[in-house]
Amino acid sequence: MNRKFIYIGCTVFAMSLFHARGIQAQEENKDSLVNVAFGTVAQEDLTHAISTVNTSELTKKVNSSSSLVGLESLIGGYTGNVWGQEALVLVDGVPRSASNVRASEIESVSVMKDAAAVVLYGSRAAKGVILITTKRGKNEPMRIDVRGNAGINVPKSYPKYLDSDCYMTLYNEACRNDGLSPKYSASDIYNTAMGTNPYRYPNIDFYSSDYLKKAYYNADVTGEVYGGNDRTHYYLNFGMDYSNDLLKYGESKNAYNMRFNVRGNVDMTLASWLKATTNAAVVFTNQYAGRGNFWGTASTLRPNWFAPLLPIDMMDTSVAQIQEYITNSNHLIDGKYLLGGTSSDMTNPFADLLAAGYVKEKARMFMFDVSLAADLGSLLKGLTFKTSYSVDYTSYYSEAFSETYAVYEPTWSQVNGKDMIIALKKHNEDKKDPNEYVGKSTYDQTMTFSAQFDYARTFAKYHNVAATFIGWGYQTQNSADENHESSDYHRTSNVNLGLRASYNYNHKYYADFSGAVIHSAKLPEGKRNAFSPSVTLGWRISKEKFMENVKFINDLKITASYANLHQDLDISDYYLYKGTFSKRQNEGFYVQWHDGTAGGWTPASKRGDNPNLGFVTREEFRAGIDATLFNRLLKLNVNYFRQDTKGLLTQGSSSIYPTYFALSSNSTFMPWINYNEDRRSGFDFALSTNKKFGDFDVTLGFNGMVYSSEALKRDELYDEDYQYRKGRALDASYGYVCEGFFQDQTDIDNHARQTFGTVKPGDLKYKDINEDGVIDSKDQIELGKNGWSAPPFSFGLNLTVKWKNFSLFAMGSGQTGSVDFKSSSYYWNRGTSKFSEVVWGRWTEDTKDVATYPRLTTTNGDNNYRNSTFWMYKRNYFRLNQVQLTYDFPENTFKGTFVRGLSVYCGGSNLLTISKERKHMELSTGSPQCRNFYAGFKAAF
């Protein structure tokens, strides 16, 4: 397994010829360098759409453990995706999860947006790259930095569900609406409302202080040691994060999440021409949690359904069976209660937390990189060589303790004027296992290899030439405990050769050609290799003579690029080019013998062959502007992009192949083919300004993206023209146009017939789009863009204000133009699910003129609970993501001591949402959204 990969890596190594680090001007200050694919480039000579955040500087004014902190507020075109597509994350050039590193370990993050910037990384990076670069030592005496933080997390809001008596009252109303008898008696409702006996007439509030804390806390500490000399540079980072849990019931009282990490990066000069680099990191995570799905059940379990605890002192002592249950129970809670339940609720989150046991989750990550860099200038001036190898291991397993427990369903009665449990029905059994066991285990391994030759020279003072030839490959394999998850047969692999040749004349005219030869095992033989080219041009107009008198422009550069990348990311599986047959039951055809005796299942085609299945391509044009204006007061970066994704897969069942290719619903001869096409286009921008006003130093940044998408080509066939997806946004949301409520039976009779179940007064009325007298799926139209990959307009803001030794930093992000639907169980109260406060606006004969919610029903509400303009809302908002106030003690405060500096700060994150739909956006039916308030310090020694 490993030998095969090493063979591939050695082959790539042998084919590598030339590489340049992309430094167009050797004399540039190191601080102006930007990390790009397999090297760096001077900021002034950057011609690709790459935006960089200096995380090391950012964390001096904002506290966060997230490696991608601030990207949405600081970089245009990033919304969690890059230009609407999910990017590959590389940590020090290796495919890794962004969660594997903390912000304190990171020097910078480069978001590589355009195709020309990522072409050298091959197929797996064809949708963009986020390149995280960790910190390194410096040529200085040893330095030690220590940072500590403590914070509290306060829930923004909880769902508001109705109390038991209100629920029962309205459920009876739903029964009457459906022509059924009321389910709950008036006495039951009265006793519940009066709180007569919460065990007989339960009123469960999941969000009460009985189960939840007002807040939970988190803390972290980080230490950094770095320095070096002419021979060796070193950087060491060690840290720990700890948080507990909002739940305080049962086993959750002990819940925690702890992470410990150690990283060491070392750079060594082995000889005047040879350098070595080694990075090693270890991450341990431990989690402890009680069993059960508390938050999931909180949004579904009716408040009156059963009491989770049954008091022993309210049980009839004369009933022998009850006393036997009490005596033999393994789970006598506090010596006072048995666990409550029903035949359909033999487990519940309260009993799980009290009696089911716990789960300890443990993950161990090891990351190791080693590289050698040789200056081959003695052979050819400007020639260098570098090779790197990395290996990562991640293991996860859970240690669990599990108990099966019994629950009891009571029969209540009045005995001598008091409520008494006179009988218990037992469900399930108490079974105690005294041993922990491994509940689940997974294992991941990633190996990466690269080899590159670099060539960079300046000729005749103005001609800057660079070239790169790179071989790069990586492979990830996964394994899992067969009792829980199956492992993929194929490993995820990427192997490619890359070539880059660039030239600039006096940092004024730029030309760059980059390309990669890629390989994919997902495609048939003869179609597995392809070449992805890109061309980039740049022109620094501000250096032209005709710009000499344009005083307000300090620097102006325009760039343009074209690329055609080949990728297999959108090919979901291996062997899709190969036809398959199956004779398993229900997958073929059942044939009976002519004499009437039992027959059997015959083989049936499940897919046709396509020996010409090829790569999916990203064809892209980009144009950009970089400008510094008004005596460097303003900095501007703008990129326009248009990318067409061609060759997306479909089986052609709608418009390409005849219907007889599909023999039945489970048998077809149709192959997968390259056919569908998508387009994504728009422009991103970043604008920043810095100005001093006396003792005040103010920096303001504004960035964003205008984005649109379109389905250019689709295999589709609809009855109505407006149903076609071609020409519409990729994230278009479809639904019905609601015309209000049916007010009476006459209104129903005079309207087009709706086909979503029984319709009664108080149900939603939909528009007959095609005017055929029937409301069905043909009446769905486009209602707006959902923005699932990127909204039509996204933006970010960041502000830094410095005054003497104080600094205030704030950042936020927002979006406009997308829509969504209020379709969670909080709004769509199906069947016997619990009611939220929104149902108070339900339609009745008395409220028909002011109703804000359909009539209540005991059914699934198929007519009302479907996407329509009634449930639609606009996702327009601005979020204040983080604010921090920092005080830096003056340098002379600790003069003569070992302390070099000290900063203290306080702040908060996830603080505020400004939106018409703020309450909905801050509402979660699962674990709640929380505001974080923190305080901390940073000391340097």
Side-chain angles (χ1 to χ4, degrees), residues 43-44 507 540-543 547 550 552-557 625-630 632 634 636:
Q43 178 69 54
E44 74 157 327
H507 309 289
R540 176 164 276 107
I541 303 177
S542 55
K543 278 198 170 186
M547 295 292 292
V550 184
F552 71 93
I553 296 179
N554 306 112
D555 187 59
L556 177 62
K557 178 178 62 179
I625 298 175
D626 290 278
T628 304
L629 310 171
F630 304 111
R632 304 192 180 279
L634 296 177
L636 175 68

Side-chain angles (χ1 to χ4, degrees), residues 892-908:
N892 59 5
T893 303
F894 306 101
K895 188 176 181 180
T897 71
F898 62 91
V899 180
R900 289 191 299 115
L902 177 66
S903 301
V904 294
Y905 51 85
C906 61

Side-chain angles (χ1 to χ4, degrees), residues 34-49:
V34 176
N35 291 304
V36 299
F38 300 103
T40 55
V41 63
Q43 178 69 54
E44 74 157 327
D45 296 325
L46 186 65
T47 56
H48 295 140

